[in-house]
Amino acid sequence: MPFYVSPEQAMRDKADYARKGIARGRSCVALQYAGGILMVAPNPSSALHKISEIYDRIAFAAVGRYNEYENLRKAGVTYADITGYQFDRHDVTARGIANWYAQTLGTIFTESNKPFEVEIVVAEVGTQPGDDQIYRITFDGSVTDEPGFVAFGGQADQVSAALKERYSEGMSLAEAFSAALDALAAPANGERNEVATSLEVAVLERAREHRTFRRIRAARLEELIAESRAARSAAADSPDADSPDAATSDAAATSGAAATSDAAATSGEAGSPASTPGPATSADPTPPAASEPPTGPPTGPDAGSTDRGSGVGGPPAGPPL
């Protein structure tokens, strides 16, 4: 009799096996910027690509076992070409390809003894930023729509948290690349300099006609890395006024000034005549003019003046009415 394993335990074992295999690699990121969608992946190999083109405005990125996601990439290209030939090129969308990948991976995960150790991202750039689409497909066939940015593979949770702090809508290409580089250098994913030396970078440019996919290599990649380092050093040299150190110094200065003023007020009260025993004396022998008694009866406002009924100068002359 074969050894019995419950379906729940079998699915759990497959999922753990696939997660461990995917976590051994490094994370990749895909994020929107003002001109399209940027994809960045640490990849020391120049022959084996993690990021590729599937169709006119659709790109593919994956992590995990190369032979497995390369077979999926080729199958996705074939599916897109056949769909565009049979119907229309506009009928080929990232949503349709993502659903096809989800069905394929779900079938493999359920029926095969060994699941695919891959995570896939399918991105499509639209004519406007609101039309951009980024889909993440996991090893068990789950599909999630990721607005703005996504980190997948490896230590995806830490990279995603770091990318969330640095991402903002409408960034330029240099700003988006700097944010992606900082996120990829998150703890347990690699140092920043180590990540920058082996990168595979590609973009879907919104302004390009027909085929929007373009790889960034050599000179242009070096320019982006230099701009990212310059921006990072400039931010480190000029501390923000709202930083915790500046706030601490401001609070210390304020508390010091308050303590000085309180001490001055306390010393003034201690040396005032009210705290000195004996008769009060004044430094000025001449009493103030306000303390002199009036020389005559109080008078009201002058005749013809506009100060009526205000009581300035005392009550009106004569008996009350």
Side-chain angles (χ1 to χ4, degrees):
M1 293 293 294
F3 185 74
Y4 174 76
V5 178
S6 64
E8 294 84 358
Q9 184 64 39
M11 294 296 106
R12 191 180 304 112
D13 291 343
K14 289 182 180 181
D16 292 340
Y17 175 83
R19 289 193 188 97
K20 290 178 181 178
I22 295 171
R24 284 195 292 267
R26 287 187 176 179
S27 301
C28 304
V29 297
L31 65 159
Q32 291 179 267
Y33 70 100
I37 298 176
L38 171 68
M39 293 182 170
V40 183
N43 186 9
S45 175
S46 60
L48 308 179
H49 296 300
K50 293 183 177 181
I51 304 171
S52 302
E53 178 186 20
I54 288 188
Y55 212 61
D56 295 344
R57 308 181 71 86
I58 303 173
F60 169 95
V63 294
R65 287 190 175 272
Y66 174 77
N67 62 326
E68 293 177 350
Y69 67 70
E70 180 65 13
N71 290 334
L72 291 173
R73 183 192 68 83
K74 292 180 179 179
V77 172
T78 303
Y79 168 81
D81 286 340
I82 293 176
T83 304
Y85 179 77
Q86 289 180 339
F87 301 98
D88 187 81
R89 301 188 73 89
H90 296 287
D91 294 331
V92 182
T93 61
R95 179 181 300 176
I97 295 176
N99 290 332
W100 184 83
Y101 276 138
Q103 295 174 12
T104 303
L105 286 174
T107 302
I108 293 172
F109 181 79
T110 304
E111 299 179 357
S112 175
N113 291 330
K114 177 196 170 300
F116 275 17
E117 302 170 55
V118 296
E119 280 194 15
I120 297 173
V121 163
V122 178
E124 179 180 2
V125 63
T127 56
Q128 298 177 356
D131 299 332
D132 295 344
Q133 299 177 11
I134 301 176
Y135 296 97
R136 178 184 180 183
I137 306 100
T138 57
F139 56 88
D140 59 350
S142 301
V143 182
T144 54
D145 184 7
E146 304 286 349
F149 65 91
V150 61
F152 56 102
Q155 306 297 325
D157 295 337
Q158 298 182 11
V159 175
S160 180
L163 187 59
K164 184 177 181 180
E165 296 177 357
R166 294 166 174 81
Y167 174 78
S168 62
E169 295 183 359
M171 294 189 300
S172 64
L173 178 59
E175 294 172 344
F177 179 79
S178 178
L181 199 59
D182 290 340
L184 289 175
N189 196 60
E191 297 294 334
R192 180 183 174 89
N193 294 333
E194 180 185 356
V195 171
T197 55
S198 57
L199 283 178
E200 182 180 359
V201 184
V203 293
L204 291 171
E205 289 187 348
R206 198 184 321 278
R208 288 172 68 95
E209 296 292 336
H210 191 45
R211 299 178 64 179
T212 61
F213 184 84
R214 180 171 68 90
R215 294 189 183 276
I216 297 179
R217 334 180 179 214
R220 180 53 179 156
L221 183 57
E222 293 294 335
E223 290 179 4
L224 288 177
I225 294 175
E227 291 176 5
S228 174
R229 289 174 177 170
R232 187 180 181 88
S233 61
D237 293 340
S238 58
D240 189 3
D242 296 334
S243 62
D245 295 338
T248 303
S249 61
D250 292 343
T254 305
S255 61
T260 305
S261 60
D262 292 342
T266 304
S267 61
E269 292 174 358
S272 63
S275 62
T276 304
T281 59
S282 174
D284 188 2
T286 305
S291 62
E292 295 179 357
T295 56
T299 59
D302 297 337
S305 66
T306 58
D307 189 5
R308 301 183 182 274
S310 63
V312 178
L321 297 178

